[in-house]
Amino acid sequence: MPPAAPRAEAEAEASTDADASAAASWRALGTLVHLVVTDPRCLPAARSLLEADLAAVDLACSRFRADSEICALQANAQASSQANAQANGQPSSHAEAQQVSPLLAEAIAVALRAAELTDGDVDPTVGAALSALGYDRDFEQLQYADPAGGLTVRTVPGWRQVRLEGRTLTMPANIRLDLGATAKAWAADRSAARIARQTGCGVLVSLGGDIAVAGPAPRGGWRIRVQDVTGSPDETPAGPYALIAIRDGGLATSSTKARRWQRGGDVLHHILDPRTGLPAEPVWRTVSVAAGTCADANAASTAAVIRGRAALGWLARLGLPARLVDATGVVFTVAGWPEEAPEEAPEEAPEEAPGEAPGGAT
């Protein structure tokens, strides 16, 4: 089974038969949302379902909302730990068990699965390490942070300290979960499947470029342009790109050029190597992966960034079609990355460009 996880930071464009589809775009979860359905009559219902889904995911999973369930969960764990420490007269290090909502339980289960399938490369316990590096607020607010602040490196506790049994979550109080590597891709999968099931039409959901499709595909498949250089979707890309078509599953791209910020004189990016607590070496500018789900595609693309050159053989062994662009712009493809689709692309719809870097629950 291929790995699961976060982040499609490259610019991707999805397009369908202009005479038989309808699309809508807006912002949510701190990123660009793009919805396409094969039957225009389905669009109002599809948008309503997607907006409700994303609002629920944000409220459950965002580490940047004081009122989110995941923030309350961690606050409760810390309060309980402090109370135990005061009662016992010494620091408490035991794991705390709490009940979580079905939605958050599902999101955490996806994150733990991603960690297991990537041998810990995609680790949901990097929250404190990300905050220590300065990524402690919605990304759109980082531009107002003090770039001269000191650089602090934190050890990542490790995903194996987190246990989930049904809706019971057990983990040490010092762990801060970050579901950014998986929540957005999982949300795209979840919503695309629900919309297709309830409307009966084909649907594409793109959350900042994390793309999931479900239901009957349009003629010729869902056409997607993947590129790693920011530019207008109406113009020929300035850098390398691929125009492909998929009929099911998902597509995700992870990038070391997106979601970048400055701290203590260093330019950092959001994909952390859990073994060092620091951003992964930027061997790859972008990694795009197609898989059976967007969550699996995103986990694989994120892990590939962390693995560097070793990712080529790893993705090939997994049989995951992938396109990797190195720091110099050289393109590598493995495992049957789809042939480029014909150039006469119908209506195009933009996804998130790398420089726009989303935040929120992703």
Side-chain angles (χ1 to χ4, degrees):
M1 188 80 174
R7 196 60 240 143
E9 301 288 357
E11 182 174 86
E13 296 177 5
S15 58
T16 63
D17 187 328
D19 295 328
S21 67
S25 298
W26 65 97
R27 295 191 69 82
L29 304 183
T31 194
L32 179 66
V33 178
H34 190 66
L35 169 67
V36 187
V37 292
T38 53
D39 184 343
R41 295 171 297 181
C42 297
L43 186 60
R47 176 165 183 163
S48 179
L49 288 168
L50 183 54
E51 287 178 336
D53 281 351
L54 298 185
V57 167
D58 193 44
L59 186 58
C61 303
S62 175
R63 69 183 178 96
F64 304 126
R65 289 183 55 166
D67 62 344
S68 73
E69 183 180 1
I70 200 168
C71 285
L73 180 78
Q74 288 158 182
N76 291 339
Q78 290 172 354
S80 177
S81 177
Q82 290 172 359
N84 288 333
Q86 291 176 353
N88 298 326
Q90 58 184 1
S92 174
S93 60
H94 75 282
E96 299 286 338
Q98 295 190 65
Q99 292 294 112
V100 299
S101 69
L103 185 63
L104 184 57
E106 185 179 347
I108 294 172
V110 169
L112 293 176
R113 177 176 179 273
E116 182 175 13
L117 293 174
T118 61
D119 296 323
D121 287 334
V122 180
D123 191 322
T125 68
V126 298
L130 278 170
S131 293
L133 293 175
Y135 192 4
D136 56 359
R137 66 203 73 188
D138 189 291
F139 194 88
E140 294 174 339
Q141 300 301 315
L142 276 187
Q143 60 182 310
Y144 304 113
D146 179 10
L151 182 64
T152 304
V153 180
R154 290 277 187 89
T155 301
V156 175
W159 67 277
R160 294 187 184 278
Q161 295 193 50
V162 180
R163 299 194 306 277
L164 181 68
E165 297 177 350
R167 291 175 52 195
T168 301
L169 176 69
T170 305
M171 65 180 186
N174 66 327
I175 287 181
R176 291 187 61 189
L177 292 178
D178 175 74
L179 304 181
T182 50
K184 185 159 59 67
W186 158 71
D189 285 325
R190 180 174 176 270
S191 292
R194 190 160 88 104
I195 292 168
R197 186 169 59 249
Q198 294 197 21
T199 65
C201 69
V203 59
L204 177 148
V205 172
S206 174
L207 303 180
D210 279 354
I211 298 170
V213 300
R219 185 175 65 252
W222 296 101
R223 301 168 58 77
I224 299 168
R225 189 175 83 187
V226 180
Q227 68 186 64
D228 71 328
V229 176
T230 305
S232 170
D234 298 323
E235 300 175 356
T236 301
Y241 72 96
L243 180 63
I244 64 170
I246 61 173
R247 292 188 172 276
D248 51 34
L251 177 71
T253 303
S254 294
S255 172
T256 59
K257 293 297 183 182
R259 280 202 284 180
R260 294 162 66 92
W261 68 97
Q262 191 169 349
R263 187 78 168 186
D266 296 305
V267 177
L268 308 172
H269 65 80
H270 72 291
I271 301 179
L272 295 197
D273 184 339
R275 295 158 190 81
T276 65
L278 289 168
E281 288 296 318
V283 173
W284 303 116
R285 195 157 71 192
T286 58
V287 178
S288 302
V289 178
T293 65
C294 185
D296 282 356
N298 215 0
S301 64
T302 303
V305 168
I306 293 168
R307 290 178 182 234
R309 292 286 173 183
L312 291 167
W314 180 68
L315 291 167
R317 288 192 298 274
L318 289 173
L320 291 173
R323 174 181 181 271
L324 304 91
V325 183
D326 74 10
T328 66
V330 176
V331 178
F332 299 79
T333 61
V334 300
W337 173 259
E339 294 292 331
E340 287 200 19
E343 283 296 330
E344 60 275 9
E347 172 192 3
E348 292 186 341
E351 305 306 326
E352 189 82 334
E356 292 184 306
T362 62

